[in-house]
Amino acid sequence: MISSRSRDELPGVRSPALLLLPLLLSAAPVSPTLPGPVRVAILSDFNGPYGSTSYPPALGRSVTRIVNDWRPAAVLSAGDLIAGQKASLTDAQVRAMWAAFDRDVRAPLNRAGIPFAFTPGNHDASLPRDRREARTYWQAHPPALTFVDRADFPFRSSFTLGGGTVFVATLDAAGPVVDAGQRAWLAAQLASAPARAAGIRLVLGHLPLAGVSEGKNRAGEVIRDAGPLRQVMQEGRVLAYVSGHHAAYYPGQLGSLNVLASGGIGGRDYVGHPGTARSTLTLLTLHPAAGRATFQTVDADTGQPVQTSSLPARLDGLGGPLNRVNDFR
């Protein structure tokens, strides 16, 4: 005779719900692990006067912030790392400038395990002698990156970050012409398996697609006939084109393409906005799972935050206009 205790509570007798529990648990879907954010520091245009083998104090503070505080996956630079592009400089002077860069920038980052990824600037790789010395230096000190294409390194290359979740291509855009050959190369890179597998694709080039700063807003200082290059990037689903040269930080949109003018040490006024020059350093946080990026920027001289809302809402430079954005998506 069964007592008043429920049958489901009898020792050795399992309820139907308990019998189904292992099946329910085994049938539950397992959520895939989504890629986490990838942080990169943006540091460009920090060369001094022609032939200089020393850098402004703000550069040293910026490197210290990157190494000690931010510790990003990499530094991305849109060029102008040394003060070349002057025919009267000797080979020895150009080599001394690269030695200064190695001492003050690459070596401390390398000791911290932070690779320095870059695109060459006009002061690094315009003259034949400058290109020769740049190639010699970088072939002796290649960054620890996961390269996809390095056949023409250091002038253009592609690589991945974040375990393949971010794809970066660098253009040889030290001058205003990005020809059909480079556009075809970029299109092929953006169509490659590593690029398609990445949640975010970035392109680095020294000259911008449109004018950002007053002193550089003229022909020869922006990419000439940038429409075909923009089309390649848009078709390749590039999240943002990161540029240098104008030394004025500005996250914006050119048509439907995001652009990041990366600023520099020793900044310039924005087009149409006198008295706005400042040095900047940016931490770009990339979210591959969402295809989105956010930025945190500081004044490299004072260390104070630079609020995006404090920047001009629109810049009407050559090749523009650029409209300010709060993030990239």
Side-chain angles (χ1 to χ4, degrees):
M1 175 176 172
I2 298 177
S3 71
S4 59
R5 193 164 77 171
S6 165
R7 181 179 183 278
D8 289 345
E9 296 177 9
L10 290 177
V13 179
R14 302 179 67 187
S15 72
L18 290 175
L19 290 170
L20 286 173
L21 185 57
L23 296 175
L24 292 171
L25 289 175
S26 63
V30 178
S31 298
T33 301
L34 296 176
V38 179
R39 303 194 310 161
V40 294
I42 308 293
L43 178 62
S44 309
D45 290 270
F46 47 77
N47 59 295
Y50 288 117
S52 177
T53 55
S54 62
Y55 290 101
L59 177 64
R61 290 194 290 270
S62 296
V63 171
T64 297
R65 181 185 292 270
I66 292 169
V67 168
N68 293 339
D69 301 333
W70 287 355
R71 299 195 64 82
V75 172
L76 301 185
S77 178
D80 277 358
L81 316 178
I82 67 166
Q85 201 187 16
K86 190 173 185 179
S88 61
L89 293 172
T90 66
D91 291 1
Q93 285 176 297
V94 175
R95 291 167 191 159
M97 288 188 289
W98 280 116
F101 166 80
D102 192 81
R103 177 194 66 217
D104 293 345
V105 181
R106 192 199 68 86
L109 292 173
N110 191 57
R111 287 194 294 270
I114 302 171
F116 185 91
F118 65 96
T119 184
N122 57 293
H123 286 287
D124 312 321
S126 288
L127 303 179
R129 184 269 318 283
D130 292 344
R131 292 178 74 85
R132 183 186 72 236
E133 293 300 331
R135 185 185 295 276
T136 298
Y137 172 79
W138 284 110
Q139 287 186 346
H141 305 90
L145 296 167
T146 304
F147 281 99
V148 175
D149 185 334
R150 60 182 300 175
D152 199 25
F153 178 81
F155 304 113
R156 70 182 184 196
S157 63
S158 62
F159 53 90
T160 62
L161 299 170
T165 61
V166 176
F167 179 89
V168 183
T170 73
L171 290 173
D172 189 354
V177 177
V178 177
D179 61 19
Q182 278 218 79
R183 295 195 301 271
W185 174 84
L186 179 59
Q189 293 302 302
L190 295 173
S192 68
R196 294 197 310 272
I200 285 177
R201 287 158 290 283
L202 300 174
V203 176
L204 270 68
H206 185 58
L207 264 64
L209 302 175
V212 180
S213 68
E214 193 68 57
K216 298 286 188 180
N217 185 43
R218 55 180 181 263
E221 309 283 0
V222 301
I223 298 294
R224 186 186 307 159
D225 187 22
L229 178 59
R230 282 175 56 190
Q231 183 176 355
V232 169
M233 289 191 277
Q234 289 165 345
E235 291 177 353
R237 297 184 297 123
V238 169
L239 180 66
Y241 174 71
V242 182
S243 67
H245 194 57
H246 282 218
Y249 164 73
Y250 194 79
Q253 201 166 53
L254 180 62
S256 60
L257 179 68
N258 292 318
V259 295
L260 179 62
S262 60
I265 304 298
R268 296 177 178 272
D269 291 340
Y270 294 111
V271 173
H273 297 269
T276 53
R278 61 183 154 197
S279 301
T280 56
L281 171 68
T282 295
L283 181 67
L284 189 65
T285 302
L286 306 166
H287 301 271
R292 179 171 174 261
T294 57
F295 18 82
Q296 172 190 342
T297 300
V298 298
D299 185 309
D301 289 308
T302 67
Q304 294 301 304
V306 176
Q307 302 298 335
T308 304
S309 59
S310 71
L311 307 179
R314 172 174 163 143
L315 297 179
D316 288 294
L318 179 65
L322 296 173
N323 295 294
R324 187 190 69 210
V325 296
N326 294 320
D327 61 8
F328 294 147
R329 60 182 71 208

